[in-house]
Amino acid sequence: MVAHKVVSHDGWLAARKKHLAKEKEFTRLRDQLSRERRELPWELVEKDYTFEGERGKVSLHDMFDGRSQLVVYHAMFNPDTAGPNTSWTADAACYACSWWMDNFNGITVHLNHRDITMVAVSLAPYPAIAAYKKRMGWSFPWFSSVGSDFNFDYHVSFTPNELEAGKVEYNYRLIPWSGSEAPGISVLLKDGDQIYHTYSTYERGLDMLNVAYHYMDLVPKGRDEREGALTTWVRRRDEYPD
């Protein structure tokens, strides 16, 4: 354990109260940011998308499952492009995406009761998705977008031409990218027969949606990731060493 300042209880309490004032300021700013996020303009989804799930072919409308709000986790999983340098394999989704999916698997029933459907979507064929979902013991809906432009339109999958050009559009800018997939979360709203895209976030924008990170941020060692971030330690939960 590294050396750290140790004080009396009164000293600890004084420091804690000083930090509490900053926490309260952060909470107010976070509430303001959330309000502003909800006030962002929407865009009409005009393209028809088809997916495959456990009940066969479904439309984007069907994925709402009777609710008006849909949150889509874009999970990196494409067996056709799996290789030694990808975070996914031919039969397993990205290990980091798997960690995120572990984080929301248990809360979907609560979201459902707030008019929110939570799903994952990947470019992998549905049989591969179903097999990995069974391995992980997950209950949330997970759909294949094979044959659809969905992943490409939401800038989480990239064509060979884009990769050959050396830069892809990701997180609202052109950046160098070597893999065919990227993570993200998108939010859609259904109003009658109309569907609107209200929000998408990528990269560090996903941090706030991983509850495990918030617990790590409370403890003395923090995320303890150093260089390489989560790639240095996170594993699929059935692949950690004993």
Side-chain angles (χ1 to χ4, degrees):
M1 182 72 73
V2 297
H4 197 86
K5 184 177 182 180
V6 177
V7 298
S8 67
H9 173 68
D10 287 345
W12 181 92
L13 192 59
R16 177 66 188 95
K17 287 181 176 180
K18 183 177 180 180
H19 187 258
L20 179 61
K22 291 186 176 181
E23 287 181 334
K24 288 180 178 293
E25 179 184 3
F26 172 74
T27 298
R28 288 190 292 270
L29 288 172
R30 182 178 58 194
D31 288 345
Q32 177 184 335
L33 187 64
S34 295
R35 285 193 299 271
E36 292 173 0
R37 183 186 301 116
R38 292 191 295 270
E39 291 168 358
L40 287 171
W42 304 339
E43 62 173 346
L44 180 65
V45 178
E46 300 184 271
K47 189 178 290 188
D48 291 327
Y49 297 104
T50 301
F51 307 86
E52 185 177 359
E54 64 179 358
R55 296 193 294 263
K57 297 290 185 180
V58 299
S59 67
L60 186 57
H61 282 266
D62 296 329
M63 282 170 54
F64 282 80
D65 197 23
R67 302 179 185 91
S68 70
Q69 301 171 107
L70 178 68
V71 178
V72 177
Y73 183 79
H74 301 286
M76 299 166 66
F77 187 16
N78 184 355
D80 289 344
T81 60
N85 297 318
T86 60
S87 58
W88 62 94
T89 69
D91 57 8
C94 164
Y95 57 83
C97 290
S98 297
W99 185 38
W100 255 260
M101 290 189 279
D102 272 338
N103 271 261
F104 66 71
N105 180 62
I107 66 167
T108 54
V109 63
H110 303 289
L111 297 178
N112 292 166
H113 283 83
R114 298 302 294 164
D115 193 30
I116 303 164
T117 296
M118 179 93 198
V119 304
V121 172
S122 298
L123 202 53
Y126 184 71
I129 287 174
Y132 185 61
K133 180 182 173 183
K134 181 178 180 181
R135 168 184 161 184
M136 293 289 103
W138 291 328
S139 59
F140 58 82
W142 189 358
F143 297 91
S144 168
S145 61
V146 169
S148 163
D149 293 333
F150 186 77
N151 278 43
F152 302 98
D153 289 348
Y154 287 82
H155 305 289
V156 290
S157 291
F158 311 108
T159 66
N161 288 341
E162 288 177 295
L163 296 173
E164 188 177 342
K167 288 189 175 182
V168 302
E169 183 180 340
Y170 182 58
N171 203 15
Y172 309 104
R173 78 238 194 256
L174 286 174
I175 60 169
W177 196 265
S178 58
S180 69
E181 309 297 311
I185 282 182
S186 293
V187 181
L188 300 109
L189 174 79
K190 185 157 71 95
D191 183 14
D193 292 332
Q194 306 281 21
I195 294 177
Y196 301 93
H197 175 212
T198 68
Y199 185 71
S200 286
T201 190
Y202 311 93
E203 295 186 316
R204 290 293 305 274
L206 300 176
D207 278 16
M208 66 177 179
L209 302 164
N210 188 319
V211 67
Y213 262 151
H214 295 293
Y215 281 103
M216 292 178 192
D217 288 342
L218 293 179
V219 300
K221 291 185 179 180
R223 301 186 186 187
D224 196 24
E225 291 182 332
R226 303 184 184 89
E227 274 195 45
L230 59 83
T231 63
T232 62
W233 70 271
V234 77
R235 302 289 183 270
R236 297 176 184 90
R237 56 188 170 83
D238 60 357
E239 294 179 348
Y240 282 106
D242 293 335

